[in-house]
Amino acid sequence: MRREPRSAGNLLRKIVAAVILIPLAIVIVAFGVANRQLVTLSFDPFSADRPASSLSLPLFILVIGLLILGVVIGGVATWLSHGRWRRAARRFEREAQVLRGEIAALRRTPNGGAAAAEATKPPERLQLRPPVQ
């Protein structure tokens, strides 16, 4: 089995990903180490002293969790907004499949579909001579 050589685009993509992801990972680790103190996330707007439902967790987990939640919500919103384009692409693919089938059927005819093409061609236009005076 022959392997294809790596393309320059694939290598460039890996380099750019490394240049972005390595500093990002360093920043995330530094943020997590610097923000280990516990914070209380309360879901009770009426009682600040003794909330009915609250959650205590490190600040960096809260911030990173909210960032991940924002990315997921943005992805879902984008996916939902592109629904009409996906629907149109499916419709065009169905039409293309029908047309491919018609082309294959025309190619299977004995004269290569010339008779079918002539049958669907509109009749020639009537040519009249101008009246003679």
Side-chain angles (χ1 to χ4, degrees):
M1 184 161 69
R2 194 179 110 195
R3 286 184 154 196
E4 293 185 19
R6 290 186 181 191
S7 66
N10 193 14
L11 182 63
L12 181 64
R13 185 179 9 246
K14 287 183 179 184
I15 291 172
V16 169
V19 166
I20 292 173
L21 292 178
I22 290 172
L24 184 62
I26 292 170
V27 167
I28 290 173
V29 168
F31 179 77
V33 169
N35 295 289
R36 290 178 290 169
Q37 65 271 18
L38 288 178
V39 293
T40 301
L41 179 63
S42 174
F43 298 104
D44 187 2
F46 303 111
S47 175
D49 300 335
R50 296 176 56 192
S53 61
S54 66
L55 181 64
S56 293
L57 62 157
L59 178 62
F60 75 93
I61 291 179
L62 177 65
V63 171
I64 292 173
L66 290 174
L67 284 173
I68 291 171
L69 181 66
V71 168
V72 169
I73 290 172
V76 168
T78 301
W79 183 78
L80 290 174
S81 69
H82 289 147
R84 66 179 178 172
W85 302 113
R86 289 190 306 277
R87 200 169 25 258
R90 286 192 301 268
R91 189 184 80 225
F92 291 142
E93 185 58 36
R94 282 192 302 269
E95 289 177 7
Q97 287 294 339
V98 168
L99 293 174
R100 286 185 193 114
E102 289 178 8
I103 290 171
L106 286 174
R107 286 183 179 161
R108 284 191 298 264
T109 58
N111 55 358
E118 288 178 12
T120 61
K121 194 167 59 170
E124 285 190 36
R125 200 168 179 179
L126 183 60
Q127 302 265 335
L128 296 176
R129 298 173 133 198
V132 181
Q133 293 181 0

